[in-house]
Every structure is written in C-alpha cells, then in structure tokens.
Amino acid sequence: MAIQLSSTKNAVTNQGVKILVYGLAGAGKTTLCATPPQGCNPIIISAESGLMSLRDYDLPVISVNNIEEVYEAYSFLADSAEGKQYDFVNIDSITEIAEALLSSEKKKSADPRQAYGKLQEEMGDLLRAFRDLPERHVYMAAKMAKEKDELSGMILYQPMMPGAKLGQSIPYMFDEVFALRMEQDPEGVSTRWLQTSADPQYNCKDRSGCLNQFEEPNLGMIVNKITSATQNPKPQGEDN
C-alpha cells in the first residue's frame, strides 16, 4: 500500500470542523443549525419534531424516524453528487437517534444487556461515520444529562445518551465539545453562550486552542476562528 502523506496544517481544511453541543431543552441547540459559516450550504438531519425555531429560515431537512433512515441520510451525503454539495451537516439530535435505536434493539432481544451492547457498537460506528465525512463541517446536538457527584455533592453536566458507557465515550469522539448555556440576569433577561472549556461542573473541550472559554452561540463564527487559526498558525516556539 502506498503511503499518503498529509499535514496537520491541512487537517481542518481536508476534514472540516466537527462540533458536539449539548444543552437543556429550549436552550437553542436547533437554532444553531441556522448559523453556518458564510458561503456554506447547510442541511439538517432531524430526528426531532421541534423545528419551529427555524420557521424563519429556508433550510433543507431530512427527517429520520429510525436507524435505517439515518443510514440512508448518510449514504445520500457521502455517496451522491447532490448530497456532497452540502458542506455544513447538522444532526439534531444524536440523543433522539440513540433512544430510537435502543427501543428497537430492546424489542429484538430478551436480554437488555445485548440491546445496550448493540446500541454502543452501532451508535459508535454511526457517529464516527458522520464525524469523518471529508471536507464537511459537522454539528451534532445532544440533550444534557446531569448527575450528582456522590463525593462533592456537586451537579455535573455532560451529553446525554442512553447507556452509561455510550454517554461516557461520546465526548472522546470530538475535538470540540461545548455546553450551550442559558441564564437569566437579575432583570430576568435571558442570555445564551457556548462554554468551550471544562470547569468542575461542565464537560467541555476545545482542542483547537483558539476559542475563548465562552463564545457567542454562532457556529459560523466558531468555525471561522478555528479555520483561520489553522491557516495562519503561530511560528514555532511562540507561546499560546
């Protein structure tokens, strides 16, 4: 087999930016689908019925109701000339897709352990397939799980997926994992932002190293920051 050399500088250009965002219902995860970088051609793979927040936009949508339809959507994007024109792929949400898959597997097996094992294997393969779509930016939304740490008593937040092993493994699949947070100020005005780095409560990360801890909830701005930093890297030896 002939070796094909690439470079770290070209990685984002060749592969695109892959982002996972989790948050509470109503925080605005679906609205993020309408914030692609300028010039990109977005498409939404929707496993939820809640597209009302996008009613003022005219975005193409593939609605999926089961895992077979998700695979059909992937084949459309990966293999067809029409599908390859979409360079900003939104999946809303991976939690809904995983829950539908688990429900289907439980009906096939009398042993719940087999259903959860199949869920972890198949969802892992599916998410990696979408994540690795070449020359596309990919945004995946997830619900937010919260649990209490028994030692500290602190509430911890992370992406929600059925099955403990799957939920724990999901963040490791992405370079960019953000929490979409929504708070109210003393006057009752709501503000929203994306938290890009971890703190004691939120499981987040930014492997690009070029984002602020809190960013405006606009994926186009974030993608542009990351790609600009990659195309214009700092000289070797310069501190971050």
Side-chain angles (χ1 to χ4, degrees):
M1 182 181 69
I3 294 176
Q4 295 182 342
L5 289 176
S6 184
S7 72
T8 54
K9 182 178 179 180
N10 294 329
V12 172
T13 302
N14 295 338
Q15 291 298 322
V17 180
K18 320 297 186 179
I19 300 172
L20 170 65
V21 175
Y22 65 95
L24 292 172
K29 299 185 298 296
T30 300
T31 305
L32 288 175
C33 298
T35 63
Q38 187 173 6
C40 280
N41 193 12
I43 190 169
I44 302 171
I45 298 173
S46 176
E48 301 184 353
S49 57
L51 294 176
M52 183 65 71
S53 60
L54 299 177
R55 62 188 179 276
D56 294 331
Y57 302 91
D58 186 16
L59 302 175
V61 177
I62 301 175
S63 296
V64 294
N65 298 301
N66 51 58
I67 198 68
E68 289 77 15
E69 292 179 352
V70 178
Y71 277 114
E72 289 176 6
Y74 171 79
S75 296
F76 169 74
L77 293 170
D79 302 328
S80 72
E82 181 182 358
K84 289 180 180 179
Q85 70 177 312
Y86 298 107
D87 53 5
F88 189 79
V89 178
N90 304 273
I91 304 177
D92 185 28
S93 72
I94 61 173
T95 309
E96 291 282 348
I97 293 172
E99 289 171 346
L101 175 58
L102 179 60
S103 177
S104 175
E105 291 301 325
K106 282 183 174 180
K107 294 175 183 177
K108 298 176 184 177
S109 174
D111 186 349
R113 292 173 299 180
Q114 292 184 2
Y116 278 96
K118 183 67 173 178
L119 168 72
Q120 183 176 358
E121 178 182 353
E122 190 155 0
M123 278 302 298
D125 291 344
L126 184 66
L127 295 181
R128 290 185 187 93
F130 276 102
R131 180 200 64 186
D132 295 340
L133 280 169
E135 299 179 350
R136 317 299 171 88
H137 303 305
V138 178
Y139 158 53
M140 300 190 194
K143 298 177 183 178
M144 184 167 73
K146 61 180 181 177
E147 59 184 45
K148 186 175 182 179
D149 182 83
E150 296 300 330
L151 294 177
S152 66
M154 184 177 293
I155 301 298
L156 308 178
Y157 300 95
Q158 62 183 11
M160 177 189 290
M161 297 294 281
K165 290 184 178 180
L166 181 60
Q168 293 169 2
S169 67
I170 290 297
Y172 291 96
M173 297 183 185
F174 296 85
D175 289 333
E176 310 297 324
V177 179
F178 308 149
L180 181 55
R181 300 184 58 181
M182 181 170 61
E183 304 288 346
Q184 285 189 341
D185 64 20
E187 286 72 37
V189 178
S190 295
T191 58
R192 297 165 57 247
W193 66 88
L194 288 168
Q195 181 171 331
T196 70
S197 59
D199 63 19
Q201 285 188 284
Y202 287 87
N203 185 352
C204 307
K205 65 178 176 180
D206 165 36
R207 282 188 176 159
S208 77
C210 61
L211 301 179
N212 298 319
Q213 182 178 8
F214 298 101
E215 291 281 356
E216 182 179 340
N218 184 305
L219 297 182
M221 291 177 61
I222 287 174
V223 168
N224 288 338
K225 266 194 173 185
I226 294 173
T227 54
S228 295
T230 303
Q231 292 165 3
N232 301 285
K234 295 180 179 180
Q236 279 190 317
E238 183 175 326
D239 293 334
N240 289 331

